[in-house]
Amino acid sequence: MLVYATAQDYADYTGKPAPDGIDQALERASERIDELLMGAVYAVDPAEMPTDLKVRQAVRRATCAQAAWSVAIGDPYGVATAFKSVSIGSVKLDRAGGSGDGGSRYAQDAASILRAAGLLPGIVIDGARW
């Protein structure tokens, strides 16, 4: 699996020590960044990492932003987007409808970083909400 950032990258980006479980959060964040970069054109090395320094740095920073966002909201797998509310006592789950009630799978900071680097053409549309 391709992971775009390390625990040290995360610590450098956030200015805070990387929390427990950050490697898994960075893996999930890399998956979300791959989704955002679908269709983006840039050169990669044999390990599929961007070869252009500006692109590589943007992808790394976007991955850290995505991981920081998922850590902050406590949803590293993006499953909260499927529900508009969840209760533990007597287990009550209300599924988010197609009207966009659920949250986003993508950190706006991550999308902004990729857009500023010229890797995204415009706004990010969360396909999971369609």
Side-chain angles (χ1 to χ4, degrees):
M1 149 148 234
L2 187 60
V3 180
Y4 295 116
T6 65
Q8 185 60 54
D9 294 331
Y10 179 92
D12 293 344
Y13 178 80
T14 62
K16 299 176 184 176
D20 290 340
I22 192 60
D23 292 332
Q24 292 81 13
L26 289 167
E27 286 179 17
R28 298 296 84 72
S30 295
E31 290 172 354
R32 298 293 80 79
I33 297 305
D34 279 343
E35 291 170 5
L36 291 173
L37 291 173
M38 187 68 63
V41 178
Y42 53 90
V44 296
D45 64 18
E48 297 187 30
M49 293 297 281
T51 57
D52 181 270
L53 180 61
K54 179 181 171 187
V55 172
R56 187 169 53 242
Q57 289 173 339
V59 170
R60 180 183 310 127
R61 289 181 58 240
T63 302
C64 291
Q66 181 70 34
W69 179 77
S70 69
V71 166
I73 66 168
D75 185 22
Y77 297 99
V79 296
T81 62
F83 301 98
K84 64 181 176 181
S85 69
V86 176
S87 298
I88 299 297
S90 298
V91 185
K92 180 184 184 221
L93 305 172
D94 289 331
R95 195 170 246 331
S99 62
D101 305 44
S104 177
R105 288 172 52 93
Y106 309 112
Q108 287 303 309
D109 286 347
S112 294
I113 290 166
L114 296 174
R115 189 176 305 107
L119 295 168
L120 296 181
I123 63 169
V124 172
I125 298 174
D126 190 345
R129 297 174 70 170
W130 283 32

